[in-house]
Amino acid sequence: MSYTPASGGEHTRAVSPPPAAVPAERPMRMPVHRATTYAFDTSQDYADVLAGAKQGYSYARIDSPTVDAFAEAVAALEGAGLAEPVRGQAFASGMGALSTVFMALTGAGSHVVASRSIYGNTYSLLDRLLRRFGVRTDFVDITDLEAVRGAVRPDTAVLFTETLSNPAMTVSDLPGLARIARESGAALVVDSTFASPAVCRPLEHGADVVVHSATKYIGGHSDTTGGVAVASPSLIDRIRSARVDLGPCLAPDEAYLLHRGLETLPLRVQRQCATAAEFAAALEGHPLVERVDHPSLDSHPQSALAAKLFDPGRLGAVVTVHPRGGWEAGMAFADRLEVATIAASLGGTHTLAGHVASTSHRNMNDAELADAGISPGAVRFSIGLEDPRDLIGDALAALGGN
Ligand SMILES: *Cc1c(COP(=O)(O)O)cnc(C)c1O
């Protein structure tokens, strides 16, 4: 029973003010529920919700209406083309999502096959942290399906890749990988951060779990850290239960911002992808540029695959430019940019640039960089919402050096 403190003491009345109205009209923005705990009318209701016998909310790390609304909004976008419903879980960061998904799907003795070309922290999560717990990962060239097939074993629990990988914008053959995963009983887990659901929906191509760093395109404004995973209800239950134990829950205020970011995701990504394609075409063939990586270019090794898997005209908004002249020329090129800003991350409204070999791929030696197709001078651009001609003019001026 709740106590109405009309005649209570000062302190009792101070912590029990009259409740805010719950409007009968539907608010046109999602309410933010910041409460970490929820009141029940009876002990039985409390017990039933905790036991899962009754739908409801008890404690914010376990479930939160605001956070769930964000996760289900992403699930609705990722699962738009599927016959069966899918569900989402949200996390405090992309790494929170990835570590929880791996903890949910593997255990001591499990085997993982992962792309060699993945986000640095995902690589060290698999190669160091999870290896200590008995999860063995083999890294392969994900564009070589025969190599992938050769690495997968009967005890492989997870086949892991990224839809688009950094910085060469390598496209994963999701239907081909899904076939290999299905044959061996492994779950295909796809980090689709660089694509976002406005470019590609991996579940439609046979993936079992799709994961995002929502910090990037989903949030879209470089002001919120978050992550999300989408899968079938049975897989998402396992992921949720691991999340509840591990604890990387998303905060309600962050969920609100990410939920709002989704409203403009298609608009932003459509424009960013169009500008990226224009930017890539304008720089390719420049006398001071050795190569440009973007799936819209015929010179990109997976341009045909990208056209098959991705939405028309939306082939990603990261472009990597390889200027001639090596490391020094690449650093100087980035330093001379005025519209694009030198900064980490991607997917925001501003165009960001970074010299690859000294930043995101600083742990690779010359041979490893060459093997991964990364020239010593490569500069990665995350294209924002600026006018294309301003970005192109900026890059051309920076290349010319004046
Ligand atoms: C940024 C990123 C991550 C990690 O996400 P955080 O939100 O920074 O934890 C994982 N994968 C990819 C591809 C990313 O770009």
Side-chain angles (χ1 to χ4, degrees), residues 31-301:
V32 178
H33 294 282
R34 300 187 58 147
T36 56
T37 184
Y38 291 81
F40 294 93
D41 287 335
T42 70
S43 300
Q44 194 58 52
D45 287 343
Y46 179 20
D48 286 347
V49 166
L50 273 187
K54 203 167 147 182
Q55 189 69 34
Y57 292 96
S58 59
Y59 184 63
R61 175 170 41 75
I62 299 176
D63 290 301
S64 146
T66 312
V67 174
D68 291 351
F70 162 64
E72 295 309 332
V74 177
L77 294 177
E78 286 290 355
L82 301 173
E84 300 292 325
V86 287
R87 299 215 353 252
Q89 278 288 300
F91 302 84
S93 67
M95 287 317 302
L98 285 160
S99 54
T100 304
V101 166
F102 279 113
M103 294 285 272
L105 302 184
T106 65
S110 295
H111 181 242
V112 173
V113 173
S115 165
R116 197 182 288 148
S117 170
I118 52 175
Y119 187 70
N121 291 117
T122 314
Y123 185 87
S124 55
L125 170 71
L126 290 167
D127 196 47
R128 288 190 232 138
L129 188 58
L130 288 176
R131 206 176 285 282
R132 279 180 27 219
F133 294 87
V135 178
R136 293 153 304 124
T137 302
D138 285 319
F139 296 94
V140 297
D141 174 358
I142 208 72
T143 64
D144 181 350
L145 290 186
E146 280 320 301
V148 176
R149 201 182 297 277
V152 167
R153 306 192 309 230
D155 65 339
T156 304
V158 173
L159 175 55
F160 177 77
T161 193
E162 294 175 358
T163 306
L164 274 167
S165 77
N166 185 32
M169 294 294 272
T170 304
V171 182
S172 281
D173 182 347
L174 299 176
L177 295 171
R179 234 176 348 259
I180 295 172
R182 200 122 304 150
E183 283 163 16
S184 69
L188 176 61
V189 177
V190 178
D191 178 340
S192 206
T193 300
F194 270 56
S196 92
V199 166
C200 178
R201 292 156 303 281
L203 301 176
E204 292 176 0
H205 300 290
D208 297 292
V209 184
V210 60
V211 182
H212 291 278
S213 165
T215 317
K216 316 293 170 52
Y217 290 102
I218 288 176
H221 294 75
S222 306
D223 60 2
T224 317
T225 302
V228 63
V230 178
S232 66
S234 64
L235 273 178
I236 216 75
D237 280 348
R238 282 166 67 185
I239 293 166
R240 173 182 170 275
S241 138
R243 178 187 58 70
V244 170
D245 285 347
L246 289 165
C249 53
L250 182 65
D253 289 301
E254 308 300 80
Y256 177 87
L257 287 172
L258 296 173
H259 188 269
R260 190 171 71 172
L262 283 176
E263 292 183 37
T264 54
L265 176 75
L267 270 177
R268 285 184 283 110
V269 168
Q270 178 185 43
R271 178 177 168 96
Q272 286 165 315
C273 290
T275 305
E278 210 177 319
F279 182 84
L283 290 172
E284 187 178 48
H286 186 285
L288 295 174
V289 172
E290 196 178 295
R291 194 177 90 235
V292 177
D293 297 325
H294 191 262
S296 65
L297 300 170
D298 289 340
S299 58
H300 191 278

Side-chain angles (χ1 to χ4, degrees), residues 280-360:
L283 290 172
E284 187 178 48
H286 186 285
L288 295 174
V289 172
E290 196 178 295
R291 194 177 90 235
V292 177
D293 297 325
H294 191 262
S296 65
L297 300 170
D298 289 340
S299 58
H300 191 278
Q302 290 101 28
S303 58
L305 180 61
K308 206 169 74 184
L309 298 183
F310 299 170
D311 291 347
R314 301 185 186 177
L315 303 177
V318 168
V319 180
T320 299
V321 178
H322 301 265
R324 295 189 195 282
W327 184 290
E328 295 303 325
M331 294 275 251
F333 171 48
D335 290 353
R336 281 192 296 261
L337 294 166
E338 289 178 357
V339 180
T341 306
I342 299 174
S345 197
L346 67 143
T349 54
H350 290 76
T351 295
L352 306 180
H355 175 247
V356 177
S358 63
T359 60
S360 59

